[in-house]
Amino acid sequence: MAEKKKQHYVPKFYLRLFTADNKMLAVQNITTKKILYPVPYDDHCYKDYFYGKDGVWENQLSDMETEWSIVIKKALNKEVLTALDVESIKKFALYQRQRTLAEENHSIQAKKALLVEHSKVFLANKGVDYDEETVEKICLQHAKKSITPAESLQFAIDCLKEIDDLSIITIEYNTKQKLISSDVPIISINPFHLQTIGYGCMGLIMLFPISPHHLIVLYDAKMYP
């Protein structure tokens, strides 16, 4: 069980794409502005037992990451991608978008806010005084219990069909300035649907670097011909 304790929410194969000699990373902490270099890539973007102690999701992700690593290497080598390869890249993008620590924290805060609003209405109907500090503390506890990485990954499974129709392009940057990645590698935007990204909404764009000079873009070709 010890070997499964250190569970990455950004896979090691992906972090390695941005290392020097497949070993070391340069890392900047955005909050503190502190830069660390060189640091081992596998010492970042993980949390102990992030997916649980049973190893179920950790083992499944390990198998998928082996496949994703091969396909992304093909994209880097400018090999022709098959339909299955493209499907695999879309799966990586969606799973990776959902599996980060930042996504979990965002979902917890959203769930907490919803519970707080329900609590306000419930207490008002009961004629009970609203104790903001107590209610927020209880709602946060319930949100943390109900939101898990496994739940987020299950959501990714349910949404896979929503991005089936996205087209793909790999852009190569011949520039002095290099691309960087982060603990949230997948960027999702939708200029036509500003309220939320919406995997099933027209206009979705998902993009992520796969090296300091290569960017994969998944996009709605109906909206961006």
Side-chain angles (χ1 to χ4, degrees), residues 89-91 93-94 159-167 199-200 204 206 218:
I89 289 175
K90 292 178 182 178
K91 191 174 182 180
L94 190 51
C159 289
L160 272 174
K161 61 181 181 298
E162 303 291 345
I163 64 170
D164 276 348
D165 61 341
L166 293 185
S167 298
Y199 292 128
L204 176 65
M206 303 179 74
L218 301 171

Side-chain angles (χ1 to χ4, degrees), residues 101-217:
L101 184 61
E103 180 63 22
E104 180 187 36
N105 291 335
H106 172 75
S107 297
I108 288 172
Q109 292 303 319
K111 181 74 171 182
K112 173 197 166 187
L114 181 63
L115 291 173
V116 167
E117 291 305 311
H118 282 300
S119 298
K120 288 179 181 179
V121 174
F122 177 79
L123 293 174
N125 289 337
K126 294 291 184 180
V128 179
D129 290 338
Y130 175 69
D131 183 336
E132 182 177 0
E133 183 177 350
T134 301
V135 169
E136 291 208 357
K137 183 178 180 180
I138 293 172
C139 289
L140 180 59
Q141 290 174 344
H142 280 283
K144 286 182 176 179
K145 289 180 181 179
S146 64
I147 301 296
T148 65
E151 182 183 71
S152 295
L153 286 166
Q154 183 60 51
F155 181 74
I157 293 174
D158 297 338
C159 289
L160 272 174
K161 61 181 181 298
E162 303 291 345
I163 64 170
D164 276 348
D165 61 341
L166 293 185
S167 298
I168 184 172
I169 187 172
T170 301
I171 301 173
E172 183 173 0
Y173 286 74
N174 296 314
T175 57
K176 292 181 179 180
Q177 191 71 24
K178 295 180 180 180
L179 297 172
I180 62 172
S181 194
S182 73
D183 56 342
V184 185
I186 310 298
I187 305 302
S188 299
I189 59 175
N190 192 335
F192 295 93
H193 201 267
L194 299 179
Q195 295 86 352
T196 180
I197 297 300
Y199 292 128
C201 297
M202 297 179 67
L204 176 65
I205 300 173
M206 303 179 74
L207 53 94
F208 55 97
I210 55 172
S211 85
H213 295 285
H214 296 84
L215 182 77
I216 284 183
V217 183

Side-chain angles (χ1 to χ4, degrees), residues 15 23 49 97 126 172:
L15 293 172
K23 293 180 181 179
Y49 300 117
R97 174 72 169 74
K126 294 291 184 180
E172 183 173 0

